[in-house]
Amino acid sequence: MVEVLLFAQLQEEVGKDKVLLDIKEITVKEIKHQLRSQFDLSQIEASMVAVNEAYALEDDIIRSGDTVAIIPPVSGG
């Protein structure tokens, strides 16, 4: 299982602050694609991803037991 924490607009679009995915191994790019398909998330491609509290790159591997945070772009002054 991978725990995915959602923030800001992504949280509003899904209707909850986290989701659990039954995944053994996946890349950051692949999990973004899966979440976009599953929940129709508009800001997922531009979002930053952290795996176990460290920012991750698109090709980094996420493994079962990891916690993933998806942080959409924010605006403001």
Side-chain angles (χ1 to χ4, degrees):
M1 282 294 199
V2 172
E3 180 180 41
V4 180
L5 306 176
L6 303 166
F7 296 92
Q9 182 178 344
L10 299 177
Q11 187 180 84
E12 291 175 18
E13 289 179 21
V14 173
K16 48 189 165 183
D17 62 351
K18 69 179 173 182
V19 293
L20 296 174
L21 301 177
D22 190 12
I23 295 171
K24 292 185 181 184
E25 191 172 282
I26 193 168
T27 66
V28 169
K29 184 176 182 175
E30 291 168 337
I31 203 167
K32 282 181 165 183
H33 179 73
Q34 180 173 336
L35 290 167
R36 182 175 185 188
S37 297
Q38 187 172 351
F39 296 106
D40 193 31
L41 299 175
S42 61
Q43 297 287 321
I44 193 92
E45 296 304 323
S47 298
M48 296 291 295
V49 176
V51 178
N52 300 325
E53 299 182 11
Y55 283 107
L57 302 173
E58 294 285 302
D59 292 330
D60 287 349
I61 302 294
I62 299 164
R63 292 181 175 81
S64 182
D66 287 346
T67 299
V68 177
I70 312 283
I71 305 131
V74 293
S75 62

